[in-house]
Amino acid sequence: RNASQWQIEGSGLEVAAEDGRVNGGFEAHIPHATAQSPQLELRLDFANMNGAHAANYYPVALPEALRHWLTGAVVSGRVTTGHVIYSGALRDFPFRAGNGRFEVAAHVTNGVFDYLPGWPVIDNIEADLLFQNAGLTVTGSRGRIRGLDVSQVVVSVADLRPPDGAKVHVQGRISGPLHETLGVLYDSASGKLAEYLPRGLRATGDGVLDLDIQVPVRQPRATHWTGLYRFNQNGLLLPYKDIHVSAIQGEMAINE
């Protein structure tokens, strides 16, 4: 304690618990004058964390609707490594003006992500998660939806606390057998897509589906999505007197 402030330092801090290991240090400056904001410099590194308990460690600044969505979406996984960095005045958080730094980064393996009600989960995920100041980005290098490969996944929230509510933007590519893709579409979005896909439709060959989904966290029923499917010499057997179409090449765009 000096004439102007309290100064608190902690170094070589270590925590070992059932959920994982954490080590690091911090330095805090707390002015006696209440008109001045406390300052915090902090760095924590963590490893071998249990993704199923991720909700226990989300930043308290998350809005309740987004916290609820993340709690349901992140089912399990193993956080191999990561860190937390905070640098700046507490009253300036989350540093929209660039006057400080808040960062939580983590690498996740074997993750399971239930990203949207009514859609099959993505499992076997390899991804990197980054909270940075007011935003959140998850970048996935691989995953699986049933028998389909998932790649080029980006889940982003530009601002966690905008006045009109956070919006989650999900982009990704799904590739593999067309019959598996049809199975996912039949069972997704509470069966709405099945209205346009006749039962008994069979398919051969592989293809690629690019999806772009935007989820208003406060109104998930107002979700907007678009897709583009690329056929690669596919075949379709229609359930109408065995009508067969072969060597399909081209693209099909879908939305809403």
Side-chain angles (χ1 to χ4, degrees):
R1 184 181 188 278
N2 58 36
S4 62
Q5 64 182 359
W6 283 94
Q7 181 173 329
I8 306 171
E9 297 180 17
S11 60
L13 305 178
E14 295 186 13
V15 177
E18 182 180 353
D19 284 352
R21 304 190 312 274
V22 180
N23 64 80
F26 73 96
E27 181 175 327
H29 298 265
I30 307 173
H32 300 320
T34 57
Q36 300 177 25
S37 173
Q39 300 278 330
L40 176 64
E41 301 291 328
L42 175 143
R43 167 80 189 223
L44 298 174
D45 295 290
F46 50 84
N48 199 29
M49 304 290 286
N50 185 351
H53 299 164
N56 296 334
Y57 306 99
Y58 294 144
V60 295
L62 286 182
E64 185 58 34
L66 184 58
R67 178 185 294 276
H68 178 77
W69 178 78
L70 281 172
T71 299
V74 180
V75 178
S76 63
R78 179 60 57 181
V79 179
T80 57
T81 59
H83 65 255
V84 179
I85 296 174
Y86 189 104
S87 177
L90 298 185
R91 294 178 187 173
D92 290 337
F93 181 83
F95 310 122
R96 288 185 175 87
N99 50 349
R101 180 184 181 190
F102 172 70
E103 180 175 298
V104 179
H107 183 73
V108 180
T109 62
N110 297 320
V112 177
F113 192 51
D114 189 2
Y115 55 98
L116 194 61
W119 288 78
V121 301
I122 304 175
D123 58 20
N124 197 32
I125 292 173
E126 187 94 13
D128 291 287
L129 179 148
L130 178 65
F131 286 95
Q132 196 163 45
N133 291 355
L136 164 66
T137 303
V138 181
T139 306
S141 56
R142 65 174 173 84
R144 297 278 289 178
I145 296 180
R146 298 184 182 175
L148 300 167
D149 292 322
V150 179
S151 62
Q152 301 181 28
V153 174
V154 178
V155 181
S156 59
V157 183
D159 193 321
L160 297 171
R161 282 186 174 275
D164 57 346
K167 296 179 177 63
V168 180
H169 188 190
V170 182
Q171 297 170 290
R173 171 166 291 180
I174 302 171
S175 57
L178 176 55
H179 74 88
E180 287 278 4
T181 304
L182 289 175
V184 170
L185 295 179
Y186 273 127
D187 298 336
S188 299
S190 302
K192 292 179 181 178
L193 291 174
E195 299 174 11
Y196 305 96
L197 299 171
R199 287 291 177 181
L201 182 66
R202 288 185 286 171
T204 60
D206 292 345
V208 178
L209 174 64
D210 288 319
L211 281 175
D212 190 298
I213 304 171
Q214 299 189 51
V215 186
V217 173
R218 291 180 182 174
Q219 297 177 305
R221 293 183 179 276
T223 293
H224 297 288
W225 65 279
T226 59
L228 181 67
Y229 192 85
R230 295 179 178 86
F231 295 95
N232 184 18
Q233 295 296 316
N234 297 98
L236 287 175
L237 179 61
L238 304 175
Y240 310 115
K241 295 185 178 181
D242 293 333
I243 298 174
H244 184 256
V245 184
S246 61
I248 302 172
Q249 191 75 21
E251 297 177 343
M252 179 177 67
I254 52 179
N255 62 52
E256 307 309 340

